[in-house]
Amino acid sequence: MEIHFILYKPAVPGNVGAAARALKTMGFRHLRLIDPCDHLGEEARMLAHASHEVLEGAEVFEDFEAAIADLDLVICTTAKGRTAKHDYHSSRELRQLLEAKYEALEKVGVLFGTEESGLPNELVLKSDLAMSIPMSVSYPSLNLAQSVMVTAYELSPLNALSKPGKHMEKSGEGFGALKYQVRALLQHAGIEEGSPLHHRIMERLATLSATDIPLFLSVLARLDQSSMPGQSI
């Protein structure tokens, strides 16, 4: 499983550089940027001390849809208590959530918002899961780079699962396939994407473990295929 850290419209070059340094320090290398500032400028390079390969290798995208197009699961980071999601998972729970479906995931994205206002509700809703970082004070005080560092630290034990001697085979029918088929089923049932019910179903779907996914796929396979035109399940 590859974990891709995604920065949405970062405005401060130094934060991008510091984020790249945090990723390398915690054993990660995949950085994606959506409509970024000058992420290769002097300020960014200075803060990316000894991590220039992560910074220079960052993939740049024009919008959110392009940045997540090849990802099986997208986790957004946001302040707890916003109304866009029903469930907000602690950063301390994130590793266990991913471990539970490790074999069913190929690429995972962790999305971070802007320094000034975080993520718009629209992108929180489009993400599969929402994650928040627990803090001792009521007012959030972590900046973008610090949030990346805390999240990368929490997820760093996952790197051990990819090392030689601990290879885990990925199922040919993973979470991405399940998500695609459930969306098609909901559309056929008249549950439109963007509706509260659709959001809630997809949100709960993202919490399934790897052992649950084949069960749900088998149920979908037994549905009358003629009732879902154009779908091959």
Side-chain angles (χ1 to χ4, degrees):
M1 177 174 62
E2 292 179 357
I3 299 180
H4 296 253
F5 290 77
I6 310 168
L7 308 187
Y8 175 73
K9 296 186 176 181
V12 181
N15 277 336
V16 181
R21 183 175 182 177
L23 295 189
K24 183 176 180 180
T25 300
M26 291 296 113
F28 296 102
R29 58 188 177 87
H30 298 294
L31 178 61
R32 297 186 177 192
L33 307 173
I34 301 174
D35 189 18
C37 55
D38 181 13
H39 69 288
L40 295 177
E42 182 179 352
E43 180 184 348
R45 291 181 181 277
M46 181 176 65
L47 270 293
H49 178 70
S51 307
H52 291 164
E53 70 275 20
V54 176
L55 184 65
E56 294 169 359
E59 298 179 82
V60 178
F61 299 86
E62 292 185 0
D63 54 44
F64 172 78
E65 285 72 19
I68 68 159
D70 63 335
L71 302 179
D72 299 316
L73 183 76
V74 178
I75 303 161
C76 68
T77 60
T78 183
K80 188 175 182 179
R82 295 178 65 173
T83 58
K85 288 283 189 187
H86 284 83
D87 298 329
Y88 289 83
H89 302 276
S90 166
S91 58
R92 295 168 183 166
E93 304 169 357
L94 195 55
R95 175 171 61 88
Q96 288 79 8
L97 284 170
L98 294 181
E99 280 182 337
K101 55 172 64 64
Y102 190 89
E103 296 178 67
L105 297 172
E106 185 174 358
K107 291 183 178 181
V108 173
V110 184
L111 177 67
F112 297 84
T114 65
E115 295 92 338
E116 185 66 25
S117 57
L119 288 169
N121 277 348
E122 176 189 3
L123 300 191
V124 175
L125 287 171
K126 288 183 178 180
S127 301
D128 297 303
L129 294 171
M131 182 270 288
S132 62
I133 297 174
M135 287 174 280
S136 299
V137 295
S138 58
Y139 183 78
S141 59
L142 292 179
N143 69 19
L144 174 59
Q146 290 171 332
S147 297
V148 171
M149 183 65 181
V150 170
T151 306
Y153 169 78
E154 296 285 4
L155 295 180
S156 60
L158 294 176
N159 290 322
L161 298 180
S162 300
K163 292 181 179 179
K166 294 187 178 181
H167 175 69
M168 299 179 70
E169 293 185 1
K170 174 181 176 290
S171 169
E173 293 185 311
F175 179 73
L178 176 63
K179 186 165 63 171
Y180 175 83
Q181 293 181 32
V182 169
R183 279 177 173 161
L185 179 63
L186 294 178
Q187 181 179 10
H188 180 71
I191 302 174
E192 296 295 329
E193 187 169 355
S195 68
L197 180 57
H198 187 284
H199 284 311
R200 185 58 175 158
I201 292 172
M202 298 307 296
E203 187 177 7
R204 296 308 300 164
L205 186 73
T207 65
L208 293 178
S209 69
T211 55
D212 294 324
I213 290 171
L215 173 63
F216 279 81
L217 284 169
S218 67
V219 172
L220 289 170
R222 291 175 181 271
L223 294 176
D224 183 2
Q225 295 186 29
S226 64
S227 69
M228 296 179 65
Q231 299 299 319
S232 177
I233 299 179

